Amino acid sequence: MRVGVLTGGGDCPGLNAVIRSVVRKGAQEYGWEFTGIADGWGGAVKGVTRPLDVAAVRGILPLGGTILGSSRTNPLRIDGGIDRIRETLRDQEIDALVVIGGEDTLSVASALADAGVDLVGVPKTIDNDVGGTDYTFGFDTAVGIATEAIDRLHTTAESHKRTLVVEVMGRHSGWIALHAGVAGGANAILIPEVEFDVDRVCAWVERRFEINYAPIVVVAEGAVPRAGQMVVKDESRDEFGHVRLSGIGDWLARELESRTRKEARTTVLGHVQRGGTPSAYDRWLATRFGLHAVDALRDGAFGTMTALRGTDVVRVPLAEVAGTNKRVPMELYEEFDVFFGT
Ligand code: F6P
């Protein structure tokens, strides 16, 4: 059997670890052959592929990014997109696919599976917002990077007695903000799931100065102020209709500075959170997902996705996951109330 492998959407640390484990197990245990599909659904539509064998995946375990390339191409918005993917699979004699992606890439995978293409999905994203799985790989690395940044910002904030606002990724969900904010001892954490009240954030900032410490405010890029519009620098949208975010951190720092009369600055962590070598945990999870994806293909469990439940890797139907978004529950967010403003 020949298996095509593709990585779609925003890249994240651990993608290469999945590719490696899929190829190693498929080739070594089952004698399968592999074809790498370049740049996610973009390469699938255009028929751009590259050879993928055990030699090609040697040494890639600790590498960030993806050796296959990625894109946000949405074949469902391209005329005849699904048929062109079928043509590529036919031309390359690919029998089944392993699709590694986040909510958008996996929604396309679900539609393709419904159209009869044999495939298995593997969830990835630094945002940890794919439904059906407790965690995605990439998240642990991103949280580590953001936490280290917050640790560093504490000392400079204290030296200058400034408010420092840290904007982290998280379009629809505040998992990175919450985990890194808690781990880094932030004094306010603002997430997309809960509209924030600027007056309340000001009160937290002032309280922190009163006790002679400088405040660190962690804000997810998708967080919005109460009764306000989402603040964006750029109104353009990608092929899945997502607006390009970034701007809430700057906006919030300006508001805090003018309302509290204390100097405020912003650090936007941006793509630094997505780049570079994966953490040990992400390599572990990505490797397990790859191994289980191969078993799912072997068992003919098409149209499913590998998912983490507790410490077990299970299979969930892609149809159950497509179009959903795993958000931070209110009760979890509220667990940390005691740290805000203190
Ligand atoms: O989907 C993951 C993510 O990291 C989001 O948090 C962020 O909004 C987006 O990717 C940025 O994507 P791009 O690199 O395509 O601008």
Side-chain angles (χ1 to χ4, degrees), residues 9-12 71-72 102-104 124-129 168-173 176 221-222 238 242-246 270-271 273-274:
D11 71 336
C12 85
S71 73
R72 291 196 185 275
E103 36 155 357
D104 296 330
K124 67 88 221 179
T125 168
I126 64 164
D127 293 350
N128 194 38
D129 61 352
V168 298
M169 279 189 169
R171 200 196 304 260
H172 307 295
S173 73
I176 297 176
E221 62 183 341
D238 67 21
H242 303 304
V243 81
R244 291 197 167 84
L245 297 176
S246 189
H271 292 82
Q273 295 159 98
R274 263 182 21 197

Side-chain angles (χ1 to χ4, degrees), residues 70-110:
S70 194
S71 73
R72 291 196 185 275
T73 301
N74 183 355
L76 304 178
R77 291 179 70 166
I78 297 173
D79 236 9
I82 297 287
D83 290 336
R84 285 166 68 182
I85 292 175
R86 282 185 193 286
E87 250 169 61
T88 301
L89 301 185
R90 211 172 28 244
D91 290 351
Q92 300 293 323
E93 298 178 339
I94 294 171
D95 304 298
L97 287 176
V98 173
V99 178
I100 311 164
E103 36 155 357
D104 296 330
T105 304
L106 294 175
S107 295
V108 175
S110 180

Side-chain angles (χ1 to χ4, degrees), residues 140-336:
D140 183 68
T141 308
V143 168
I145 292 166
T147 302
E148 195 200 325
I150 296 167
D151 287 347
R152 289 175 183 279
L153 291 170
H154 272 295
T155 61
T156 169
E158 292 306 338
S159 305
H160 293 269
K161 294 284 176 281
R162 283 175 178 150
T163 302
L164 288 185
V165 174
V166 189
E167 184 182 304
V168 298
M169 279 189 169
R171 200 196 304 260
H172 307 295
S173 73
W175 293 105
I176 297 176
L178 186 64
H179 281 236
V182 169
N187 312 109
I189 300 172
L190 310 175
I191 60 175
E193 289 85 343
V194 186
E195 286 187 355
F196 65 87
D197 178 353
V198 184
D199 292 332
R200 196 157 176 237
V201 181
C202 285
W204 288 336
V205 161
E206 278 163 349
R207 169 86 190 109
R208 181 81 177 158
F209 280 122
E210 271 162 31
I211 58 172
N212 271 322
Y213 288 104
I216 302 282
V217 178
V218 174
V219 59
E221 62 183 341
V224 281
R226 196 172 276 174
Q229 283 283 303
M230 188 177 288
V231 183
V232 288
K233 271 185 188 158
D234 175 357
E235 292 285 345
S236 61
R237 289 175 188 265
D238 67 21
E239 288 197 23
F240 285 90
H242 303 304
V243 81
R244 291 197 167 84
L245 297 176
S246 189
I248 189 71
D250 279 339
W251 179 84
L252 184 60
R254 277 198 306 275
E255 285 296 305
L256 294 177
E257 186 169 291
S258 75
R259 290 170 186 234
T260 65
R261 299 185 191 284
K262 294 279 190 187
E263 207 181 351
R265 300 285 169 85
T266 311
T267 302
V268 179
L269 294 183
H271 292 82
V272 168
Q273 295 159 98
R274 263 182 21 197
T277 188
S279 67
Y281 179 78
D282 280 339
R283 297 180 206 186
W284 156 265
L285 182 59
T287 298
R288 289 191 76 203
F289 276 171
L291 299 176
H292 282 260
V294 167
D295 284 345
L297 284 183
R298 178 206 56 199
D299 295 346
F302 305 126
T304 63
M305 176 190 93
T306 60
L308 188 71
R309 295 280 167 84
T311 55
D312 294 332
V313 178
V314 299
R315 295 170 192 166
V316 298
L318 274 168
E320 269 179 25
V321 171
T324 66
N325 199 254
K326 191 181 67 196
R327 315 198 86 205
V328 174
M330 194 64 186
E331 321 80 73
L332 180 64
Y333 180 63
E334 285 175 351
E335 271 182 31
F336 307 102

